[in-house]
Amino acid sequence: MSVLALRLAGPLQSWGSSARFARRTTETAPTKSGVLGMLAAALGRDRSADLSDLAALAFAVRIDQAGTRLRDFQTAHHADTDKAMPVSERFYLADAVFVAAVAGDDDLISALHAALRAPVYLPYLGRRSCPPQGPVELGIRDGDDPTTALRDEPWHAAEWHQKKHGKKASVLLPAFAEAVAGGQRGGTVRDQPLSFAPSHRRYALRNVVSISIDVPNLHYRPDKHGKPTSRRPPVPVPRHSPEALLAPLPPQFPLDGH
């Protein structure tokens, strides 16, 4: 057993677990079905191919940078009739960064790792309009628990985001993992893919627990007293003196005209 770690970052992401007519929402973190769909595409599998081996992978995801929620309105026309379709409302996550991990058989994990390095179909973050920023794969880790891999993974948020938290030696990052037998019972989400066939997509329920993962902040900057400080000292702001404009005129400019 081994674990494949993934960095999911890009200008826009959208991970919907449900869609209602013209309203397409996004979850706050990547879904298992969305990540497995990306992996299946990298392998070059057809949408109607068997997913049982991928669906059996253990899955966990960590929110390294939550990003900002955006709403967009889109119009479209039918390809055959050119009839205008209803305006759709779609939601995205902007400037978000996630670290996901899947665990399973060594051969399958190795095949997924190789596929992400040379994908048959280019990966995207939930929707085709959301390409990733940089490589997706972070490498293969030893073990059989994706949650443990996330605990050992450094903070992958953008540098500017980490510097915003420079007063903290470590940060608590929210994460979501699959519930294990005999462990904490979480909530249920319809996010276990059974088929990606366009004519009949099917998803089963799975149990998900919320956890927090403490990771060190490499941009933590304590001062000599042990108190956090910024890397650069603040720039002094000169005092504004509007009364300087009311200074008396020099003697060579008399006011009486003589």
Side-chain angles (χ1 to χ4, degrees), residues 45-51 193-203:
R45 293 192 182 182
D46 186 81
R47 286 182 176 270
S48 58
D50 179 37
L51 294 175
L194 300 177
S195 173
F196 288 140
S199 59
H200 187 44
R201 298 180 183 179
R202 293 182 296 133
Y203 305 91

Side-chain angles (χ1 to χ4, degrees), residues 26-181:
T26 179
E27 301 296 323
T28 57
T31 59
K32 182 177 182 179
S33 58
V35 172
L36 294 188
M38 180 184 66
L39 296 176
L43 289 170
R45 293 192 182 182
D46 186 81
R47 286 182 176 270
S48 58
D50 179 37
L51 294 175
S52 57
D53 57 342
L54 296 179
L57 294 171
F59 175 76
V61 62
R62 190 181 73 189
I63 302 177
D64 284 35
Q65 185 174 321
T68 305
R69 196 179 187 89
L70 297 181
R71 180 173 64 172
D72 184 33
F73 295 96
Q74 296 186 9
T75 60
H77 286 74
H78 196 280
D80 297 325
T81 64
D82 199 38
K83 180 180 178 181
M85 307 295 288
V87 176
S88 62
E89 185 181 20
R90 308 199 177 199
F91 293 83
Y92 299 87
L93 299 174
D95 294 328
V97 180
F98 306 98
V99 176
V102 292
D105 178 75
D106 291 338
D107 292 337
L108 178 57
I109 293 297
S110 296
L112 293 174
H113 181 239
L116 286 176
R117 295 175 71 89
V120 177
Y121 301 111
L122 294 178
Y124 52 86
L125 306 178
R127 293 192 185 138
R128 291 190 181 93
S129 59
C130 303
Q133 175 265 318
V136 172
E137 56 85 21
L138 289 173
I140 298 177
R141 312 289 188 252
D142 294 330
D144 58 359
D145 183 9
T147 304
T148 301
L150 293 184
R151 295 187 188 279
D152 297 335
E153 198 66 26
W155 196 12
H156 285 277
E159 183 177 344
W160 65 264
H161 184 78
Q162 296 188 31
K163 288 181 177 179
K164 284 179 59 177
H165 299 268
K167 296 182 179 181
K168 302 177 182 178
S170 63
V171 293
L172 275 178
L173 302 177
F176 303 95
E178 292 178 327
V180 297

